[in-house]
Amino acid sequence: MNVPRLATALTGPLLDLERKFLAAQCEIEAWFRSQWLEHAPPFYGSVDLRNSGFKLAPVDMNLFPGGFNNLNPDFTPLCVQAVQSALEKICPDARRLLLIPENHTRNQYYLQNVASLARILKLAGLNVRLGTLNAEITAPTTLELPNGGTLTVEPLQRNGRRVGLPGFDPCVVLLNNDLSAGIPDILRDIDQNLLPPLHAGWFVRRKTHHFREYDGVAAEFGQLLGIDPWYINPYFGQVSQLDFQTREGEERLAAEVERILGLTAAKYRELGITDAPYAIVKADAGTYGMGVMSVKSPADVIGLNRKQRNKMAVVKEGLEVSDVIVQEGVPTFETLEEAVAEPVVYMMDRFVVGGFYRVHTERGADENLNAPGAYFKPLAFDTPLSTPDCDGSPDCAPNRFYAYGVVARLALLAASREIENTESVLESISMAA
Amino acid sequence: MNVPRLATALTGPLLDLERKFLAAQCEIEAWFRSQWLEHAPPFYGSVDLRNSGFKLAPVDMNLFPGGFNNLNPDFTPLCVQAVQSALEKICPDARRLLLIPENHTRNQYYLQNVASLARILKLAGLNVRLGTLNAEITAPTTLELPNGGTLTVEPLQRNGRRVGLPGFDPCVVLLNNDLSAGIPDILRDIDQNLLPPLHAGWFVRRKTHHFREYDGVAAEFGQLLGIDPWYINPYFGQVSQLDFQTREGEERLAAEVERILGLTAAKYRELGITDAPYAIVKADAGTYGMGVMSVKSPADVIGLNRKQRNKMAVVKEGLEVSDVIVQEGVPTFETLEEAVAEPVVYMMDRFVVGGFYRVHTERGADENLNAPGAYFKPLAFDTPLSTPDCDGSPDCAPNRFYAYGVVARLALLAASREIENTESVLESISMAA
């Protein structure tokens, strides 16, 4: 596969921040190694990054990554090696893995992701089959892929304290389904290794849980490097018990937007940054780029019209939005073919295994790029993120990518701590039910 | 870098053996994972393989690999990831690594290997410096490399129970020096992690120790796959207390050659193989392709002429050969540009990270290809060894390479057990000294 070089996205001079990362590489890697001994990394994850030229920060962390098909296939061996590492810790004896995909069987982009992920797992020496939670699939169903391949999904079965398929008792169950609609009974209290755990699903998970953990990680990392953690960490706050349709909580939302914009403006003044601050309002449990708006003033969230309200009120699986995160907007200064580009970094176990640019031709530098559907053009990184070129010029692509890999791993570490600390949330939900 | 495809070496149909490996991939990978939990893999290693079309076997295992410069640079991220994995187990906190190269400072090929290895270690986030055991180097010395780069080697210093360089106290000491000349006092009883351990050096190590362990590994693996282990394991025997100059032990050597040729001939008859058996006589503690001869009859080792005796009597560092291994010769059916080719597989920690073909234009299919100097032309594999293409045609290059990776890892596992079981040898040498 011929992967275009990403010259356009990477022509700017290397940030001060990126130089600091390169200079401290030995400290950074040793620190990550010790962190991973204390905090088990999630099986996999992807991070949306924003690079504003003055700030490089994660804006979203996905624990059910859906774009493995967008990675440079040259890096497949990195994925395979990472899976081998993960399996060694989780279940060295594993021979069979059951992959549970999302329910939508008609999204060709998503199916290609599942095929790519299944291929990686097979290459790691696992017998892989797909079990679906989709109640409409009552018999093994073969789905055609655009590349001529096929995927067979089968209805998931419960057998005592195990799940499986006919003639297939898996050692490991891997979720590529983010459980937005809730935790299916069939997956509760199973004896098998379930990755990631149920409480990592969006039914339990909150973006604000994640970014609270990220605050801690960024502070520790800032201290390690002697930098203001703001350079890698956007301000955020939470607003609960909103009802977009009845406009309940609107004033509280406006007040939080004002607070975040104010904090950002103060920091911009302190550092002589002339950009106009903006904020992103997102469903706290949302995904797929639904329920997201970009605002430049508190007034922007007052008196939303019907279309805006509808957009914010409901996310995937028809889930109603009552809690939101208000996050400092980090503009992107990366462009590709005159379109706005946002790096997405993929990780398996504790390793960065690839990534791509989400390129959006119809959106501005201060907007959310993860729009529904296939509005974005994926553009695979052509350099792995683990190989900074210490001897090369500091602003060459491998060095920029190293910085992306560092910030992405900071978000992964925050996710590790988040999963550790939210297990009790699931318990309290289960008790209440 | 444009790496040529290895069509010539890989045009034959896939062996039965290779098909069996692919069919049993899940079992094989799970078995390796459990083995690595019981046996710590060496930090690194390279294996010379022979593929005869009917047999695929390791013929030598090097614990101080000297050809990192010959690997496909596209696989560097695999090496980096493997080093990160190794460090996590050995010394997660490591920031500084001292690399001890061989003493010869004029071998440009070897220096390029050291530069490539040092680059990999740096990319893994280590501060790397080179400390030499060479008594002629009394001050930091910068060596020029053919590619325009440089390497600085410094005299190793002992400080109490640690070794280091001025202003450099390493956490890990990595040997790329095979200690043929003996164990230097400066490295004895140090508190730092020394990799591989002293008794992995050729002063203590014996090829026959390795292949005795490999016998066990091959038997277990043969049982796992339901195959005769002979398909992956050459016969061998040891002859001790030889003196090539005085011809002492010549008859015992001839008898062992006869035994090995007889066993091979019987197996060939059993399987209908029409090749003429041959055997390789090698110094039991030798390396660098010195002290090696290929024989087709017991008479070949009787009455050697002066040149032949001199060749066999002394190996690297002037070490006298008194013990030899007599190993079943495995012909190679792989050719490249009409020359004989032998695959060399590189591993770091428990991962296959690359390899190359040793191609020799002046030698036959039944000769040793690891000749002194640079007689061979390295040809990097263009496919990683960890990604068999289960859906592709079975004899495509990735599948052939998967089989190489499996057999190479069997040798690596034998080396792990060998290192575990020969620690006492070093103790007995130390006690005697």
Side-chain angles (χ1 to χ4, degrees), chain A residues 262-286:
Chain A
L263 285 168
T264 309
K267 192 56 100 170
Y268 280 12
R269 275 194 303 276
E270 176 191 330
L271 301 172
I273 295 164
T274 54
D275 288 55
Y278 72 102
I280 297 283
V281 180
K282 293 188 270 199
D284 203 9

Side-chain angles (χ1 to χ4, degrees), chain A residues 25-27 29-34 36-37 74-85 87-89 91-96 119 122-127 224 350-353 384 386-391 402 409, chain B residues 25-27 29-34 36-37 74-85 87-89 91-96 119 122-127 224 350-353 384 386-391 402 409:
Chain A
Q25 200 205 341
C26 295
E27 290 302 314
E29 296 302 325
W31 182 79
F32 270 123
R33 280 194 295 270
S34 63
W36 296 133
L37 292 181
D74 287 351
F75 306 158
T76 300
L78 283 176
C79 300
V80 173
Q81 204 167 292
V83 170
Q84 292 277 23
S85 259
L87 286 176
E88 212 171 77
K89 287 177 295 184
C91 180
D93 207 37
R95 284 160 175 78
R96 291 169 300 280
R119 179 166 181 269
K122 284 176 190 168
L123 289 173
L126 292 164
N127 185 353
L224 182 77
R350 61 211 183 279
F351 300 110
V352 175
V353 295
S386 54
T387 54
D389 185 356
C390 311
D391 304 323
Y402 178 68
R409 284 183 288 165
Chain B
Q25 199 205 343
C26 296
E27 290 302 314
E29 296 302 325
W31 183 78
F32 271 123
R33 280 193 296 271
S34 63
W36 297 132
L37 292 180
D74 287 351
F75 305 158
T76 301
L78 283 177
C79 299
V80 173
Q81 202 167 294
V83 170
Q84 292 278 23
S85 260
L87 286 176
E88 212 170 76
K89 287 177 295 184
C91 180
D93 207 37
R95 284 159 175 80
R96 291 170 300 280
R119 179 166 180 269
K122 284 177 191 168
L123 289 173
L126 292 165
N127 185 353
L224 182 77
R350 60 211 184 280
F351 300 110
V352 174
V353 296
S386 54
T387 54
D389 184 357
C390 312
D391 304 323
Y402 178 68
R409 283 183 288 165

Side-chain angles (χ1 to χ4, degrees), chain B residues 120-375:
Chain B
I120 288 164
L121 298 166
K122 284 177 191 168
L123 289 173
L126 292 165
N127 185 353
V128 178
R129 281 166 69 179
L130 305 179
T132 183
L133 297 169
N134 186 341
E136 291 170 23
I137 294 181
T138 54
T141 304
T142 298
L143 307 167
E144 308 278 334
L145 298 176
N147 66 2
T150 59
L151 272 183
T152 300
V153 294
E154 303 176 60
L156 196 62
Q157 290 183 344
R158 177 86 180 212
N159 308 300
R161 289 179 63 89
R162 300 181 75 83
V163 288
L165 303 174
F168 188 77
D169 181 34
C171 322
V172 178
V173 180
L174 179 62
L175 287 171
N176 197 250
N177 181 313
D178 66 21
L179 306 181
S180 283
I183 294 172
D185 286 337
I186 196 170
L187 292 180
R188 284 183 191 270
D189 303 314
I190 60 169
D191 284 342
Q192 287 134 315
N193 286 289
L194 178 67
L195 305 171
L198 291 176
H199 62 279
W202 277 124
F203 186 71
V204 177
R205 197 171 175 233
R206 295 293 174 266
K207 289 188 170 71
T208 46
H209 291 164
H210 176 78
F211 282 100
R212 227 165 275 151
E213 296 294 345
Y214 188 77
D215 276 351
V217 169
E220 291 166 42
F221 186 78
Q223 196 158 35
L224 182 77
L225 258 71
I227 58 167
D228 181 346
W230 178 80
Y231 285 106
I232 52 169
N233 190 12
Y235 292 118
F236 79 96
Q238 188 189 28
V239 186
S240 306
Q241 294 174 295
L242 290 174
D243 186 328
F244 280 95
Q245 300 298 8
T246 66
R247 297 179 54 180
E248 193 187 314
E250 197 180 72
E251 294 297 331
R252 280 184 290 122
L253 176 58
E256 187 59 24
V257 167
E258 184 165 23
R259 190 181 73 87
I260 296 297
L261 291 175
L263 286 169
T264 309
K267 191 58 99 170
Y268 279 12
R269 275 193 303 276
E270 176 190 330
L271 301 172
I273 295 164
T274 56
D275 289 55
Y278 73 102
I280 298 282
V281 181
K282 293 188 269 200
D284 203 9
T287 181
Y288 275 62
M290 299 164 89
V292 179
M293 63 190 289
S294 174
V295 295
K296 289 184 175 161
S297 119
D300 290 351
V301 298
I302 303 288
L304 297 181
N305 64 31
R306 179 186 299 267
K307 192 180 156 199
Q308 290 169 318
R309 287 202 310 265
N310 285 343
K311 188 183 145 200
M312 288 305 294
V314 177
V315 287
K316 202 182 150 221
E317 309 273 3
L319 220 67
E320 273 187 40
V321 175
S322 65
D323 298 353
V324 298
I325 179 173
V326 180
Q327 191 180 48
E328 171 195 340
V330 182
T332 176
F333 87 139
E334 295 193 90
T335 54
L336 271 171
E337 296 156 17
E338 296 175 37
V340 176
E342 183 177 80
V344 187
V345 177
Y346 272 61
M347 290 161 294
M348 301 191 88
D349 195 68
R350 60 211 184 280
F351 300 110
V352 174
V353 296
F356 55 88
Y357 277 99
R358 188 178 284 136
V359 182
H360 207 298
T361 48
E362 288 159 33
R363 295 208 168 200
D366 55 2
E367 286 184 276
N368 170 55
L369 298 189
N370 193 3
Y375 283 82

Side-chain angles (χ1 to χ4, degrees), chain A residues 31-195:
Chain A
W31 182 79
F32 270 123
R33 280 194 295 270
S34 63
Q35 291 295 321
W36 296 133
L37 292 181
E38 287 173 45
H39 306 282
F43 183 80
Y44 54 16
S46 68
V47 182
D48 293 357
L49 296 180
R50 281 286 183 128
N51 188 355
S52 66
F54 53 81
K55 180 167 189 161
L56 175 59
V59 295
D60 214 347
M61 169 87 223
N62 188 348
L63 293 174
F64 306 88
F68 277 98
N69 52 316
N70 296 329
L71 304 184
N72 184 339
D74 287 351
F75 306 158
T76 300
L78 283 176
C79 300
V80 173
Q81 204 167 292
V83 170
Q84 292 277 23
S85 259
L87 286 176
E88 212 171 77
K89 287 177 295 184
I90 298 158
C91 180
D93 207 37
R95 284 160 175 78
R96 291 169 300 280
L97 180 143
L98 181 77
L99 179 59
I100 301 183
E102 294 284 348
N103 290 350
H104 38 61
T105 53
R106 282 178 213 93
N107 182 335
Q108 295 288 316
Y109 296 98
Y110 179 70
L111 294 180
Q112 285 178 292
N113 162 65
V114 174
S116 298
L117 175 58
R119 179 166 181 269
I120 289 165
L121 298 166
K122 284 176 190 168
L123 289 173
L126 292 164
N127 185 353
V128 178
R129 281 167 69 179
L130 305 179
T132 184
L133 297 168
N134 186 341
E136 290 170 22
I137 294 181
T138 54
T141 304
T142 298
L143 307 168
E144 308 278 335
L145 298 176
N147 66 2
T150 59
L151 272 183
T152 299
V153 293
E154 304 177 60
L156 196 62
Q157 290 183 346
R158 177 86 180 213
N159 307 299
R161 290 179 62 88
R162 301 182 74 83
V163 288
L165 303 175
F168 188 77
D169 181 34
C171 322
V172 178
V173 180
L174 179 62
L175 286 171
N176 198 250
N177 181 312
D178 66 21
L179 306 181
S180 284
I183 294 172
D185 286 337
I186 196 170
L187 292 180
R188 284 183 191 270
D189 303 315
I190 60 170
D191 284 341
Q192 288 134 315
N193 286 289
L194 178 67
L195 304 171

Side-chain angles (χ1 to χ4, degrees), chain B residues 15-67:
Chain B
L15 302 175
D16 264 4
L17 192 62
E18 291 167 305
R19 291 181 196 276
K20 285 199 175 99
F21 285 6
L22 286 170
Q25 199 205 343
C26 296
E27 290 302 314
I28 292 172
E29 296 302 325
W31 183 78
F32 271 123
R33 280 193 296 271
S34 63
Q35 290 295 320
W36 297 132
L37 292 180
E38 286 172 47
H39 306 283
F43 184 79
Y44 55 15
S46 68
V47 182
D48 293 356
L49 296 180
R50 280 287 183 127
N51 188 354
S52 67
F54 53 80
K55 180 166 189 162
L56 174 60
V59 294
D60 214 347
M61 169 87 226
N62 187 348
L63 293 174
F64 305 89

